[in-house]
Amino acid sequence: MGHRAGMEVSIAVSHAVQLARAEAIAAYPITPQTHIVEHLSSMVANGDLEAEFVNVESEHSALSCCIGMSAAGARTYTATSSQGLALMHEILFIASALRLPIVMTVANRALSGPLSIWNDHSDIMAAKDIGWIQIFVENGQEAFDHTVMAFKIAENSKVLMPTIINMDGFILTHVVEAMNMVDQDLVDKFLPPYLPRHTLDPKYPVTMGAFAMPEIFAEVKMNHQAALMNSYERIIKVWEEWGKLTGRQYHPVERYKANDAKILLLTMGCLGEVAEIAVDELQAAGEPVGLIKLRLWRPFPFAELRDALRNAELVIVCDRAVSPGGAAPPVLAEVRSALYPLSQRPETLGYIIGLGGRDVSPVSFKEIVALARDESAQGPKQEYHLYGVRG
């Protein structure tokens, strides 16, 4: 099956790309994503991975190159972060509109300005509507597993959608963790060679990225939306298959001591593990507090989230990004929208935490629970809060 090893999470991700037998990689280095593509470059140079590695002059070019390689029929990978993802922005929409199954790791990092190399989710939240499948991971094991699974999800003939694996910069990318690695035979059994439906081939010309008149533009967008929403059941099937092979089963919405809890914290990414400690301590003190971890961001898991929150009285949504001038930060807005059709729904309060890499501890989550409980009792005074901001 494999072996247990301790390694930096970024290196584990690069090994997952190797095990997936990626055929084409284009990348531009940007902190804190750089170690992933550096290691992949070494693998290609040393002959450990038979792939084309293209050094480009920018992230815009990296994704443009990936589009060409994927359109030509290659299993394609890239990685980026923060300003790099922002520079790709124009091309992100094209990759998904062309239904190219590119896999990309985003090492989540704050967007400038002011300049910050540290972690939050502002980069991906600025790109939440690009039409890609988007998944958040919590630790190194999840980053490794989901990198392999992303290729199978993206390349499914009923999906054909680019896929992003979000992992928190530095908190995960540069940390050494113990992980259960899998061997090449298992991955080969799980992930067959990529057989593209359409390819760019001079012998058999096809048109990709054609101009759309107003008479068909809306229909194309509707088909894209339907394809992205319909990818949900294939994502679940891939997770189930991986669970049977490895014993590690994943769900779009993960619950931690949440079944009988009247107050629920909701997190995305690696801070879920920090919140678990707070929940353990609160429950030991008799507090009815549980935790919901949102793994699948796009397509949004409406039914599963509603089911997970159905018995709660208060849901405390912890965002890692601001929506300047908006009614609510991104995750809070999505959760409220998902719950709105219900005749009985829990109260939802929002707290923005960990911006620009600011530390969030178990004590922080316990303080947030206390603040939210008091606010709920007195009546909300504002739409959401930036936790820990100094006056």
Side-chain angles (χ1 to χ4, degrees), residues 200-228:
L200 292 175
D201 186 337
K203 295 180 181 178
Y204 307 98
V206 297
T207 296
M208 293 189 182
F211 174 76
M213 294 292 287
E215 289 78 8
I216 65 168
F217 190 88
E219 287 74 15
V220 172
K221 288 298 180 182
M222 195 62 223
N223 285 337
H224 186 170
Q225 163 70 359
L228 185 55

Side-chain angles (χ1 to χ4, degrees), residues 22-256:
E23 299 166 315
I25 303 161
Y28 187 83
I30 182 171
T31 302
Q33 156 272 7
T34 308
H35 289 182
I36 300 172
V37 294
E38 279 183 345
H39 199 66
L40 284 169
S41 176
S42 296
M43 288 178 175
V44 172
N46 295 335
D48 298 324
L49 174 60
E50 188 176 350
E52 186 74 26
F53 190 100
V54 183
N55 293 301
V56 292
E57 76 281 4
S58 74
E59 291 85 0
H60 186 283
S61 299
L63 190 56
S64 298
C65 185
C66 284
I67 284 176
M69 295 189 294
S70 182
R75 177 170 287 163
T76 305
Y77 175 82
T78 189
T80 193
S81 177
S82 185
Q83 307 303 128
L85 185 65
L87 187 55
M88 284 181 177
H89 198 71
E90 174 192 2
I91 311 301
L92 293 168
F93 297 90
I94 296 170
S96 58
L98 291 178
R99 304 287 297 277
L100 296 173
I102 299 163
V103 172
M104 176 162 65
T105 301
V106 176
N108 300 120
R109 169 189 145 186
L111 280 173
S112 298
L115 175 63
S116 171
I117 63 168
W118 305 111
N119 166 244
D120 65 29
H121 292 165
S122 56
D123 54 1
I124 195 60
M125 291 305 163
K128 62 185 176 63
D129 297 324
I130 54 176
W132 291 49
I133 294 169
Q134 299 184 34
I135 298 167
F136 279 79
V137 298
E138 189 174 344
N139 53 46
Q141 185 69 67
E142 293 184 6
F144 174 83
D145 290 351
H146 282 84
T147 301
V148 175
M149 289 189 286
F151 288 98
K152 183 157 188 171
I153 291 168
E155 294 170 1
N156 185 291
S157 61
K158 299 294 181 62
V159 177
L160 294 177
M161 201 70 70
T163 300
I164 287 173
I165 304 300
N166 290 286
M167 69 172 185
D168 290 298
F170 287 110
I171 306 175
L172 289 186
T173 56
H174 286 57
V175 170
V176 174
E177 293 187 8
M179 285 167 271
N180 294 311
M181 312 299 285
V182 297
D183 59 28
Q184 189 68 65
D185 289 342
L186 184 144
V187 176
D188 289 343
K189 177 182 177 183
F190 172 77
L191 179 65
Y194 173 42
L195 297 175
R197 179 182 293 181
H198 305 290
T199 60
L200 292 175
D201 186 337
K203 295 180 181 178
Y204 307 98
V206 297
T207 296
M208 293 189 182
F211 174 76
M213 294 292 287
E215 289 78 8
I216 65 168
F217 190 88
E219 287 74 15
V220 172
K221 288 298 180 182
M222 195 62 223
N223 285 337
H224 186 170
Q225 163 70 359
L228 185 55
M229 296 306 294
N230 291 338
S231 71
Y232 176 85
E233 62 179 83
R234 274 84 187 184
I235 295 169
I236 300 301
K237 288 180 180 178
V238 169
W239 283 345
E240 289 174 348
E241 184 179 348
W242 186 257
K244 290 175 183 177
L245 286 173
T246 66
R248 296 188 291 275
Q249 179 66 56
Y250 297 103
H251 304 91
V253 178
E254 306 281 2
R255 311 178 196 205
Y256 183 77

Side-chain angles (χ1 to χ4, degrees), residues 332-344:
L332 177 61
E334 296 276 345
V335 171
R336 283 180 173 167
S337 178
L339 296 177
Y340 185 78
L342 303 182
S343 57
Q344 290 185 315

